[in-house]
Amino acid sequence: MKKILGIISIMLIAITFAGCAVNDTKPEAAIDTMFEKYRNKDDNVITQLKETIENEVMNDENKVKYQELMEKQYDRLAYVIKSVKEDKDTATATVELTVLDYKSAILEAEQELENDPSKFNDDKGEYSEDKFTKRKLELMEKVDDTITETVELSLSKKANMWQVDDLSDEDIKKIHGLY
């Protein structure tokens, strides 16, 4: 699961910002464009998500469930631009995100593993990553609580169009409710 989060981070950096500057003559417009790609489940976002998940060592059932959970997160993503400070061709924006708190489910699964590792053994009595991943996904599926996080976005102006710079891994985890 940690590996998939890292790959998703890299993947989303690449796809989120590709074409962000369609009509983004103001920093706020670039921020809206970026988050709307998530919320609208832009074709490029979903294609890259599928490709990333497909390359993971995870059974097909878990892959499908993980994609559903990420899409649910995108559906529920809410944001408020709190402030934007421009300085010539750069800007910094403070954005408040409200996302599903998937991190709490992951922590709960990790606690279950710590308390009773045999719960995640296969028929041969050996630890099963698939069983553990399935449990994390089951717990994530039940999450309805949200968490509010603040991200600081940097933007750059190129050819008179604003675009959001690459997100940090921490910011991507916040977007996915995994921080």
Side-chain angles (χ1 to χ4, degrees), residues 143-158:
V143 169
D144 200 39
D145 292 335
T146 58
I147 188 166
T148 300
E149 298 282 357
T150 300
V151 294
E152 298 291 326
L153 302 176
S154 60
L155 297 96
S156 300
K157 192 178 200 181
K158 296 179 181 158

Side-chain angles (χ1 to χ4, degrees), residues 14-168:
I15 61 174
T16 301
F17 306 109
C20 268
V22 178
N23 291 310
D24 299 341
T25 57
K26 295 186 180 221
E28 294 86 352
I31 294 166
D32 288 338
T33 298
M34 181 189 75
F35 285 119
E36 288 307 312
K37 284 186 178 213
Y38 284 102
R39 291 187 352 177
N40 292 328
K41 292 180 267 186
D42 179 85
D43 287 342
N44 291 330
V45 170
I46 298 303
T47 297
Q48 290 293 324
L49 178 62
K50 286 179 180 179
E51 289 173 3
T52 300
I53 293 170
E54 191 55 40
N55 291 323
E56 286 304 309
V57 179
M58 190 183 292
N59 69 35
D60 289 343
E61 179 183 336
N62 288 343
K63 287 178 182 181
V64 168
K65 182 58 61 187
Y66 191 78
Q67 180 176 335
E68 290 170 357
L69 289 166
M70 286 298 100
E71 289 186 30
K72 178 181 174 184
Q73 184 70 282
Y74 301 159
D75 288 339
R76 299 279 302 269
L77 173 70
Y79 67 96
V80 176
I81 301 170
K82 297 303 237 178
S83 68
V84 176
K85 295 177 184 163
E86 289 184 54
D87 183 18
K88 298 180 184 176
D89 290 342
T90 62
T92 304
T94 301
V95 179
E96 191 175 85
L97 301 172
T98 302
V99 295
L100 292 167
D101 185 13
Y102 285 155
K103 180 67 174 182
S104 65
I106 293 169
L107 292 173
E108 183 178 343
E110 289 172 351
Q111 188 64 49
E112 287 180 16
L113 176 62
E114 186 177 317
N115 291 340
D116 186 8
S118 64
K119 178 179 179 178
F120 301 101
N121 288 349
D122 60 18
D123 295 337
K124 297 176 184 174
E126 297 175 6
Y127 172 74
S128 169
E129 186 67 35
D130 276 341
K131 280 184 114 173
F132 182 62
T133 299
K134 182 177 181 176
R135 181 62 180 152
K136 282 193 272 189
L137 296 174
E138 287 170 353
L139 292 170
M140 288 169 70
E141 187 175 31
K142 294 177 183 178
V143 169
D144 200 39
D145 292 335
T146 58
I147 188 166
T148 300
E149 298 282 357
T150 300
V151 294
E152 298 291 326
L153 302 176
S154 60
L155 297 96
S156 300
K157 192 178 200 181
K158 296 179 181 158
N160 291 322
M161 302 304 282
W162 286 98
Q163 61 186 36
V164 177
D165 297 334
D166 290 348
L167 297 175
S168 69

Side-chain angles (χ1 to χ4, degrees), residues 1-16:
M1 184 73 99
K2 288 180 182 179
K3 183 178 176 186
I4 193 168
L5 298 177
I7 292 172
I8 285 177
S9 299
I10 293 167
M11 176 260 315
L12 290 175
I13 288 170
I15 61 174
T16 301

